[in-house]
Amino acid sequence: MKLLLSVLIAALLLLGQLAPDAGAAAPEKHYQDTKELQLQDMLVLYLLPDMQRQLAGVYADKLTALPDIYPYFVDIDHIEHVNGFRGFVFVLTLHVYPTVGPHISVGEDLMTYQISAGPTAKLAKLVHLKDPDPSAFPPNYKDLLRHRQ
């Protein structure tokens, strides 16, 4: 497992990570399967259970149900070696777009993880960027909002 995670992260770095786009409002659309995208998806799948746990607390006072996180609504914004080339301590920043019901967007969050040998993944920083927009909820899903409008 440790070797797999290390290989995944090293491959992402070697394949040339995309530069973060500060103005991005939604996940980037990919129309072709690439090794880089496959490796990103595997890394997101590895982190998904912890991401779910962390965001459950963020949305507890906003929603009556836990939000879902789908791997295709997670963008890897930035990856860096903390201790130099082939150093196996990484900082990974993800843009996360949680949903409820039939993919109703409930917000946007920026999560930064430190990943190191073990493998261990520790949330270093979580920034909640956007709350649910009540006007985006169909009438039959408004009961998912804690503070309905």
Side-chain angles (χ1 to χ4, degrees), residues 6 9 13 79-92 113-117 120:
S6 298
I9 293 172
L13 289 169
I79 300 174
E80 71 177 87
H81 276 106
V82 172
N83 54 350
F85 178 69
R86 301 291 293 173
F88 302 107
V89 176
F90 300 89
V91 171
L92 172 71
Y113 279 90
Q114 180 172 329
I115 300 174
S116 58
T120 59

Side-chain angles (χ1 to χ4, degrees), residues 62-133:
K62 298 166 185 31
L63 301 170
T64 61
L66 294 177
D68 295 314
I69 304 171
Y70 294 99
Y72 45 86
F73 287 147
V74 176
D75 285 336
I76 297 178
D77 282 347
H78 183 74
I79 300 174
E80 71 177 87
H81 276 106
V82 172
N83 54 350
F85 178 69
R86 301 291 293 173
F88 302 107
V89 176
F90 300 89
V91 171
L92 172 71
T93 304
L94 306 142
H95 246 104
V96 183
Y97 303 88
T99 65
V100 292
H103 293 81
I104 301 166
S105 177
V106 296
E108 181 181 348
D109 301 277
L110 195 62
M111 303 179 84
T112 302
Y113 279 90
Q114 180 172 329
I115 300 174
S116 58
T120 59
K122 179 182 166 192
L123 183 67
K125 185 176 181 182
L126 191 151
V127 179
H128 179 66
L129 300 172
K130 185 176 171 186
D131 281 343
D133 176 7

